[in-house]
Amino acid sequence: MANFTLTSTDYGWHGVFRAMASPCELLLQPCSQTLAQHLVSLAYHEAQRIEAKYSRYRTDSVLSQLNLHAGAAQKIDSETAALLAFAAHCYRLSDGMFDISSGVLRRVWQFDGSDNLPHPDAVAALLPLIGFDKVQFDEQHLWLP
């Protein structure tokens, strides 16, 4: 069973799969069906690899392990270092509005569509951990507060 669908269209090919709790689509210009299947398969497997490596919902992911060992210097690979460099760039460009360190708020905030709000003291306790400017990293190491 394929993990994606591939449909011929007037413009070429339309590949569809799910990854990271989202629908993903690829629009390919005309080529052979074999090549289109190969390209969509590559994209699907790469999305699965990235999700496995960085998903906050998987306890075995790199991201979960980094968060688990916050407060200590940790070794990181070049892909993770590049991703952190991109996040730092986005943080600077957005004047701090794009901040991946704010994910720690998920400890107290329920993003389930309900109107439940965390107690202000619970949020206040996490605020010292938020701020990408507090994250220290280079090409080989990461330190999270």
Side-chain angles (χ1 to χ4, degrees), residues 12 15 32 34-35 43 45 55 58 60 73 76 84 88 90 99 107 116 120 124 127 133:
S32 71
T34 301
L35 179 57
H45 286 98
S55 174
R58 295 178 57 136
D60 62 340
I76 56 173
L84 289 168
C90 293
D99 187 344
R107 291 183 188 171
N116 297 330
L127 291 180
D133 56 325

Side-chain angles (χ1 to χ4, degrees), residues 109-143:
W109 213 292
Q110 302 301 313
F111 295 96
D112 59 2
S114 70
D115 60 356
N116 297 330
L117 297 176
H119 191 276
D121 291 342
V123 174
L126 294 175
L127 291 180
L129 302 175
I130 299 172
F132 195 79
D133 56 325
K134 298 173 187 173
V135 174
Q136 299 172 23
F137 70 96
D138 59 29
E139 288 90 20
Q140 298 177 346
H141 299 92
L142 168 72
W143 183 85

Side-chain angles (χ1 to χ4, degrees), residues 2 10 14 30 36 51 58 61 68 80 95 98 111 115 124 128 130 132:
D10 292 340
H14 181 222
E51 183 171 12
R58 295 178 57 136
S61 74
L68 181 66
T80 302
D95 292 324
F98 180 89
F111 295 96
D115 60 356
I130 299 172
F132 195 79

Side-chain angles (χ1 to χ4, degrees), residues 3-71:
N3 297 312
F4 59 87
T5 61
L6 183 66
T7 308
S8 178
T9 68
D10 292 340
Y11 55 80
W13 296 98
H14 181 222
V16 177
F17 58 88
R18 289 195 60 81
M20 301 176 216
S22 300
C24 301
E25 296 183 56
L26 279 80
L27 304 177
L28 303 171
Q29 64 185 33
C31 60
S32 71
Q33 183 174 2
T34 301
L35 179 57
Q37 286 175 327
H38 178 69
L39 294 172
V40 175
S41 178
L42 286 174
Y44 169 78
H45 286 98
E46 180 63 2
Q48 295 301 307
R49 183 193 70 79
I50 292 167
E51 183 171 12
K53 185 171 183 177
Y54 294 111
S55 174
R56 69 177 181 269
Y57 300 110
R58 295 178 57 136
T59 58
D60 62 340
S61 74
V62 167
L63 179 64
S64 292
Q65 292 302 305
L66 292 172
N67 286 327
L68 181 66
H69 297 99

